Amino acid sequence: MILDDDGIAAPGEILRPYDIYINKQSPIDTRTPKTGSAANLPDSAYRSNAQSFNDNGGEVVDRVVLML
């Protein structure tokens, strides 16, 4: 698998067609105020927003930049 523990492809990994390079999960309901932390939400409260590589050739992950 090309994903690190954080759900993002690591530098140096080779992306092939349809490989998931970002495994992102987003809350389904973002408008209702939640009590407690997001860690208390069940898995069913999230949807997958995984990003996959959609090119014919392979690419190498050069670097990963996280921005908040």
Side-chain angles (χ1 to χ4, degrees), residues 6-68:
D6 60 5
I8 301 173
E13 293 289 346
I14 299 173
L15 298 176
R16 293 178 179 81
Y18 308 109
D19 276 349
I20 293 175
Y21 62 93
I22 299 175
N23 189 24
K24 178 180 171 184
Q25 302 289 317
S26 299
I28 293 171
D29 182 7
T30 59
R31 290 185 263 170
T32 305
K34 303 283 191 272
T35 57
S37 70
N40 296 331
L41 293 175
D43 289 345
S44 62
Y46 293 89
R47 71 172 166 269
S48 174
N49 288 327
Q51 302 292 308
S52 60
F53 184 67
N54 294 322
D55 198 349
N56 293 329
E59 293 286 332
V60 176
V61 178
D62 183 37
R63 63 182 164 170
V64 176
V65 177
L66 300 177
M67 300 175 68
L68 301 174

